[in-house]
Amino acid sequence: MTNATNAADTAISRLAEANGFRGEIAFSLGGKDIQSRTFGPMAADQPWPWASVTKQVVATLAMQQVAMGKLSLDEPVGRYIPRLVGSSVTWRELLQHRSPLPNPDEAGSSGDWPAFYTSDLPSTLDWCTSTLGEPPETGYSYNNCDYIVLGAALEIVTGHSLEKLVSDMVAGPAGLTGTRFLGGGDTLEFASSDELYRKILPRYGAAGGLIGPLSDMVRFDRALLAKRLLAEEPLQAMWTGDPALGYMALGQWAFAAPLAGCIGDVRIVERRGAIGKYQIRNLILPDSGIIVAMATEQGEDIFSFGEVWSGNGFTFDILSAVACQ
């Protein structure tokens, strides 16, 4: 390890232990080797549910098609999804959660879960295109159907399954070693896996169905930084946060915020995910090439990552220690 990497590793371990964090943290400093630490009874480099970090990967696939001239962000997606023919829903609106699609989280529950994820409903695409409401008047309305429809539209545009697109267009160029979509009845082992999550996670699909090690998440980020997945122009378009949408960009959030010990605000690209007991954070500091990926099986009611922009909390402390000290 370099001195900087060793210092970051020490700081991460200290903060994790002081805050009762149980899970895994992987990081890379400016293109250096990927380092990973586990806390609690966790196996090193095991697969984790990526939850909504999946959306960051799907957004990258969409921007690749934009860069190739296969689609335009502001064209109606109904050109490709028959049940949306005639609607004005665009690719950009799906990417930024500004569509009028039905929301699985508002469709009734089955125990502690929305029935959309636990019951034997029709295909998720059929459900997500069954009715249209009104788009949000301002801001955005977070909705997993946006990315389920987005994934289906990408399959139609390209003529390939989402699994193949991830394999060929992301995993290959980025050098991912063990990341894929979880399928129904899949026996893939992942952190604290059980039958409930084996049933639920495949229903998330393009909105949250990827499973893989955190080291792969860091490799994905490094491939973005190295322009191996997107050239500069489409990458910066994907990473431009909109202040009117709480700095939502396309499939992630992008903003500048102060960190303890750094001079001036630091540009941050953040993607978070949470499904049940799993929480995931993927953080990229584009100007320094620093990457931090974190995963825990401690649900939001047990462990809080906090908000970077608030100036305190676990994520703020981790980024400050790694980037500024």
Side-chain angles (χ1 to χ4, degrees), residues 117 180 182-203 211 278:
Y117 303 110
R180 62 179 174 83
L182 190 71
D186 204 322
T187 59
L188 173 69
E189 290 298 323
F190 52 92
S192 302
S193 57
D194 58 43
E195 290 309 309
L196 174 62
Y197 284 89
R198 290 187 188 284
K199 178 177 182 179
I200 289 169
L201 290 172
R203 297 280 295 180
I211 302 281
Y278 296 105

Side-chain angles (χ1 to χ4, degrees), residues 18-281:
N19 286 273
F21 175 81
R22 188 176 70 242
E24 184 177 0
I25 299 177
F27 69 96
S28 176
L29 305 183
K32 304 298 183 184
D33 290 345
I34 299 171
Q35 305 296 324
S36 178
R37 290 290 176 268
T38 58
F39 305 92
M42 301 288 165
D45 213 32
Q46 66 189 329
W48 288 90
W50 282 24
S52 285
V53 176
T54 303
K55 295 182 177 73
Q56 196 172 20
V57 176
V58 173
T60 300
L61 292 172
M63 293 306 294
Q64 288 173 338
Q65 297 304 310
V66 170
M68 290 187 286
K70 300 292 184 64
L71 62 88
S72 170
L73 288 174
D74 295 311
E75 70 173 332
V77 76
R79 294 180 182 177
Y80 309 97
I81 303 294
R83 295 181 66 164
L84 293 179
V85 169
S87 76
S88 61
V89 179
T90 67
W91 294 86
R92 189 188 302 275
E93 288 171 338
L94 294 177
L95 285 161
Q96 293 187 318
H97 296 296
R98 294 187 289 119
S99 84
L101 297 176
N103 192 327
D105 293 341
E106 299 172 357
S109 62
S110 176
D112 296 331
W113 292 87
F116 179 87
Y117 303 110
T118 60
S119 63
D120 296 322
L121 291 169
S123 80
T124 53
L125 178 62
D126 287 349
W127 192 94
C128 287
T129 55
S130 58
T131 59
L132 290 179
E134 294 296 325
E137 293 184 6
T138 59
Y140 65 92
S141 179
Y142 197 85
N143 183 353
N144 282 329
C145 273
D146 292 330
Y147 276 75
I148 289 171
V149 170
L150 184 66
L154 282 172
E155 291 184 327
I156 294 170
V157 168
T158 63
H160 297 297
S161 69
L162 203 59
E163 290 83 355
K164 182 170 175 56
L165 289 173
V166 169
S167 176
D168 293 352
M169 304 295 289
V170 174
L176 310 191
T177 61
T179 298
R180 62 179 174 83
F181 283 98
L182 190 71
D186 204 322
T187 59
L188 173 69
E189 290 298 323
F190 52 92
S192 302
S193 57
D194 58 43
E195 290 309 309
L196 174 62
Y197 284 89
R198 290 187 188 284
K199 178 177 182 179
I200 289 169
L201 290 172
R203 297 280 295 180
Y204 279 82
L210 281 176
I211 302 281
L214 286 193
S215 57
D216 269 4
M217 195 175 291
V218 176
R219 290 185 185 97
F220 166 69
D221 297 340
R222 288 171 63 161
L224 286 172
L225 288 171
K227 315 296 190 302
R228 296 203 303 273
L229 300 178
L230 289 169
E232 179 70 15
E233 185 175 347
L235 178 65
Q236 295 310 320
M238 187 173 73
W239 280 357
T240 299
D242 185 345
L245 300 176
Y247 291 93
M248 177 178 284
L250 302 177
Q252 49 232 289
W253 281 260
F255 56 93
L259 296 175
C262 281
I263 299 173
D265 288 353
V266 177
R267 190 160 65 109
I268 299 167
V269 175
E270 178 185 26
R271 179 69 245 187
R272 60 185 61 191
I275 296 178
K277 64 184 178 182
Y278 296 105
Q279 293 192 79
I280 310 293
R281 293 293 185 275

